[in-house]
Short mmCIF file of all heavy atoms in Angstrom, two decimals:
data_model
loop_
_atom_site.label_atom_id
_atom_site.label_comp_id
_atom_site.label_asym_id
_atom_site.label_seq_id
_atom_site.Cartn_x
_atom_site.Cartn_y
_atom_site.Cartn_z
N TYR A 105 173.89 84.14 66.16
CA TYR A 105 172.61 84.83 66.42
C TYR A 105 172.67 86.30 66.11
O TYR A 105 171.67 86.93 65.78
CB TYR A 105 172.12 84.55 67.85
CG TYR A 105 171.62 83.12 67.96
CD1 TYR A 105 172.32 82.16 68.63
CD2 TYR A 105 170.43 82.76 67.32
CE1 TYR A 105 171.85 80.87 68.72
CE2 TYR A 105 169.95 81.46 67.38
CZ TYR A 105 170.68 80.53 68.09
OH TYR A 105 170.22 79.25 68.14
N PHE A 106 173.87 86.90 66.25
CA PHE A 106 174.00 88.30 65.88
C PHE A 106 173.85 88.42 64.38
O PHE A 106 173.18 89.32 63.89
CB PHE A 106 175.36 88.83 66.35
CG PHE A 106 175.48 88.95 67.85
CD1 PHE A 106 175.99 87.88 68.58
CD2 PHE A 106 175.05 90.08 68.49
CE1 PHE A 106 176.03 87.99 69.97
CE2 PHE A 106 175.13 90.20 69.86
CZ PHE A 106 175.63 89.12 70.59
N ARG A 107 174.49 87.49 63.66
CA ARG A 107 174.40 87.54 62.19
C ARG A 107 172.91 87.34 61.77
O ARG A 107 172.41 88.06 60.92
CB ARG A 107 175.26 86.42 61.60
CG ARG A 107 176.05 86.84 60.36
CD ARG A 107 177.06 85.83 59.93
NE ARG A 107 178.27 85.86 60.69
CZ ARG A 107 178.86 84.80 61.24
NH1 ARG A 107 178.35 83.60 61.10
NH2 ARG A 107 179.99 84.94 61.92
N GLN A 108 172.27 86.42 62.48
CA GLN A 108 170.84 86.19 62.15
C GLN A 108 170.04 87.48 62.32
O GLN A 108 169.18 87.83 61.49
CB GLN A 108 170.30 85.07 63.07
CG GLN A 108 168.89 84.67 62.73
CD GLN A 108 168.33 83.62 63.70
OE1 GLN A 108 169.10 82.87 64.30
NE2 GLN A 108 167.03 83.59 63.86
N PHE A 109 170.34 88.20 63.39
CA PHE A 109 169.59 89.44 63.68
C PHE A 109 169.92 90.51 62.62
O PHE A 109 169.00 91.12 62.05
CB PHE A 109 169.95 89.94 65.08
CG PHE A 109 169.24 91.22 65.43
CD1 PHE A 109 167.86 91.35 65.34
CD2 PHE A 109 169.96 92.32 65.91
CE1 PHE A 109 167.22 92.51 65.69
CE2 PHE A 109 169.33 93.49 66.27
CZ PHE A 109 167.95 93.59 66.15
N PHE A 110 171.23 90.70 62.31
CA PHE A 110 171.57 91.74 61.36
C PHE A 110 171.02 91.43 59.98
O PHE A 110 170.74 92.34 59.19
CB PHE A 110 173.10 91.90 61.28
CG PHE A 110 173.73 92.34 62.59
CD1 PHE A 110 174.97 91.85 62.99
CD2 PHE A 110 173.05 93.22 63.40
CE1 PHE A 110 175.50 92.24 64.20
CE2 PHE A 110 173.60 93.62 64.61
CZ PHE A 110 174.80 93.14 65.01
N GLU A 111 170.89 90.17 59.67
CA GLU A 111 170.41 89.80 58.33
C GLU A 111 168.88 89.65 58.23
O GLU A 111 168.32 89.52 57.16
CB GLU A 111 171.08 88.50 57.84
CG GLU A 111 172.51 88.71 57.46
CD GLU A 111 173.31 87.41 57.39
OE1 GLU A 111 172.69 86.33 57.55
OE2 GLU A 111 174.53 87.47 57.19
N SER A 112 168.21 89.71 59.44
CA SER A 112 166.78 89.51 59.41
C SER A 112 166.07 90.72 58.81
O SER A 112 166.56 91.84 58.90
CB SER A 112 166.29 89.24 60.83
OG SER A 112 166.12 90.46 61.50
N PRO A 113 164.94 90.46 58.17
CA PRO A 113 164.20 91.61 57.59
C PRO A 113 163.73 92.65 58.59
O PRO A 113 163.55 93.81 58.23
CB PRO A 113 163.02 90.91 56.89
CG PRO A 113 162.94 89.53 57.47
CD PRO A 113 164.29 89.19 57.92
N GLN A 114 163.60 92.22 59.85
CA GLN A 114 163.11 93.18 60.85
C GLN A 114 164.19 94.16 61.31
O GLN A 114 163.87 95.15 61.95
CB GLN A 114 162.54 92.47 62.09
CG GLN A 114 161.21 91.84 61.91
CD GLN A 114 161.40 90.33 61.62
OE1 GLN A 114 162.43 89.93 61.07
NE2 GLN A 114 160.43 89.57 62.00
N PHE A 115 165.45 93.83 61.05
CA PHE A 115 166.53 94.56 61.68
C PHE A 115 166.40 96.08 61.51
O PHE A 115 166.37 96.86 62.45
CB PHE A 115 167.89 94.06 61.21
CG PHE A 115 169.04 94.85 61.77
CD1 PHE A 115 169.38 94.70 63.07
CD2 PHE A 115 169.76 95.74 60.95
CE1 PHE A 115 170.45 95.45 63.63
CE2 PHE A 115 170.81 96.47 61.47
CZ PHE A 115 171.14 96.33 62.80
N TRP A 116 166.29 96.49 60.22
CA TRP A 116 166.29 97.94 59.97
C TRP A 116 165.05 98.61 60.49
O TRP A 116 165.08 99.75 60.99
CB TRP A 116 166.54 98.27 58.51
CG TRP A 116 167.96 97.96 58.16
CD1 TRP A 116 168.46 96.96 57.37
CD2 TRP A 116 169.10 98.70 58.65
NE1 TRP A 116 169.82 97.02 57.36
CE2 TRP A 116 170.26 98.07 58.14
CE3 TRP A 116 169.26 99.81 59.49
CZ2 TRP A 116 171.58 98.50 58.42
CZ3 TRP A 116 170.55 100.23 59.78
CH2 TRP A 116 171.69 99.61 59.23
N THR A 117 163.90 97.89 60.40
CA THR A 117 162.66 98.47 60.97
C THR A 117 162.81 98.69 62.47
O THR A 117 162.47 99.75 62.99
CB THR A 117 161.49 97.52 60.69
OG1 THR A 117 161.59 96.98 59.38
CG2 THR A 117 160.16 98.22 60.87
N LEU A 118 163.29 97.64 63.14
CA LEU A 118 163.45 97.75 64.58
C LEU A 118 164.42 98.87 64.96
O LEU A 118 164.14 99.67 65.86
CB LEU A 118 163.99 96.44 65.17
CG LEU A 118 163.06 95.26 65.23
CD1 LEU A 118 163.77 94.01 65.69
CD2 LEU A 118 161.90 95.58 66.17
N MET A 119 165.54 98.94 64.26
CA MET A 119 166.53 99.98 64.56
C MET A 119 165.91 101.37 64.36
O MET A 119 166.02 102.25 65.17
CB MET A 119 167.76 99.84 63.67
CG MET A 119 168.71 98.79 64.08
SD MET A 119 169.29 99.02 65.78
CE MET A 119 170.45 100.32 65.56
N ARG A 120 165.26 101.52 63.20
CA ARG A 120 164.65 102.83 62.88
C ARG A 120 163.62 103.21 63.97
O ARG A 120 163.69 104.29 64.51
CB ARG A 120 164.00 102.79 61.50
CG ARG A 120 163.62 104.16 60.97
CD ARG A 120 162.61 104.06 59.86
NE ARG A 120 161.40 103.41 60.34
CZ ARG A 120 160.60 102.63 59.59
NH1 ARG A 120 160.92 102.40 58.33
NH2 ARG A 120 159.52 102.06 60.08
N ASN A 121 162.72 102.31 64.27
CA ASN A 121 161.68 102.62 65.26
C ASN A 121 162.30 102.94 66.60
O ASN A 121 161.90 103.91 67.25
CB ASN A 121 160.73 101.43 65.42
CG ASN A 121 159.91 101.17 64.19
OD1 ASN A 121 159.84 102.01 63.29
ND2 ASN A 121 159.29 100.00 64.13
N THR A 122 163.26 102.14 67.06
CA THR A 122 163.87 102.36 68.35
C THR A 122 164.58 103.70 68.38
O THR A 122 164.38 104.50 69.32
CB THR A 122 164.89 101.23 68.67
OG1 THR A 122 164.28 99.97 68.44
CG2 THR A 122 165.32 101.31 70.11
N VAL A 123 165.38 103.98 67.33
CA VAL A 123 166.11 105.29 67.33
C VAL A 123 165.15 106.47 67.26
O VAL A 123 165.31 107.40 68.01
CB VAL A 123 167.12 105.28 66.15
CG1 VAL A 123 167.69 106.65 65.97
CG2 VAL A 123 168.22 104.27 66.38
N VAL A 124 164.14 106.38 66.43
CA VAL A 124 163.24 107.50 66.27
C VAL A 124 162.53 107.80 67.61
O VAL A 124 162.52 108.91 68.09
CB VAL A 124 162.17 107.22 65.18
CG1 VAL A 124 161.03 108.24 65.26
CG2 VAL A 124 162.85 107.29 63.80
N ILE A 125 162.00 106.75 68.26
CA ILE A 125 161.27 106.97 69.50
C ILE A 125 162.19 107.44 70.60
O ILE A 125 161.91 108.45 71.27
CB ILE A 125 160.56 105.66 69.95
CG1 ILE A 125 159.46 105.32 68.93
CG2 ILE A 125 159.95 105.84 71.34
CD1 ILE A 125 158.76 103.99 69.19
#
Side-chain angles (χ1 to χ4, degrees):
Chain A
Y105 286 108
F106 291 92
R107 222 171 279 132
Q108 186 183 334
F109 180 53
F110 297 144
E111 285 163 6
S112 81
Q114 286 98 331
F115 177 71
W116 287 110
T117 320
L118 286 175
M119 281 305 283
R120 191 198 60 212
N121 293 347
T122 311
V123 169
V124 167
I125 293 173

